[in-house]
Amino acid sequence: QLQLVETGGGLVQAGGSLTLTCQASGRVFGMKGLAWRRQGPGKEREVVAAISTSGDATYYADSVQGRFTISRDNVKSTVHLQMNGLKPEDTAVYSCAATAASYDFGPEAQYGYWGHGTQVTVSS
């Protein structure tokens, strides 16, 4: 089993930065692909960033490429999302997710674990 808890959301002005952190508990953390997903008001949920088990492969949605950075620490069982150059359209609930199958990775992976999410609001 894997439990995920996100922190770091908040209200920020356009152009600002935030760092989200997801703390995991569970022995299988290091075997799971991880991702940050978001769902904005009236929008579909989307994977904005994903990272492989070792951290040597990453994926970013076009909408955040060059602005967001995902990273993980398998010793501390954490995954982070550094968000720079925030835009009002980045407003959403952000949640971290872990793949159902070990060593799976990417936007098309099946995510079997996710946290409750943290709200990010970007004002114009």
Side-chain angles (χ1 to χ4, degrees):
Q1 286 288 353
L2 197 63
Q3 296 179 326
L4 306 169
V5 178
E6 304 93 342
T7 57
L11 173 64
V12 64
Q13 289 188 330
S17 299
L18 280 175
T19 300
L20 306 182
T21 295
C22 177
Q23 178 69 59
S25 61
R27 292 182 296 174
V28 297
F29 178 84
M31 297 190 292
K32 298 294 188 181
L34 301 170
W36 284 95
R37 307 189 298 187
R38 70 183 181 187
Q39 186 162 19
K43 297 181 181 180
E44 295 287 322
R45 185 177 62 199
E46 63 171 333
V47 173
V48 296
I51 189 166
S52 63
T53 53
S54 63
D56 59 357
T58 55
Y59 159 86
Y60 296 97
D62 289 344
S63 57
V64 307
Q65 179 74 47
R67 300 187 297 123
F68 290 12
T69 302
I70 188 171
S71 61
R72 68 187 293 166
D73 185 331
N74 286 345
V75 174
K76 297 181 179 178
S77 296
T78 55
V79 57
H80 305 280
L81 185 68
Q82 174 67 45
M83 305 185 294
N84 298 324
L86 284 162
K87 305 174 181 180
E89 51 264 42
D90 293 320
T91 294
V93 175
Y94 285 73
S95 59
C96 65
T99 55
S102 295
Y103 306 108
D104 200 359
F105 157 69
E108 302 301 323
Q110 295 298 311
Y111 290 93
Y113 307 91
W114 51 89
H116 290 295
T118 184
Q119 176 70 46
V120 172
T121 303
V122 184
S123 63
S124 57

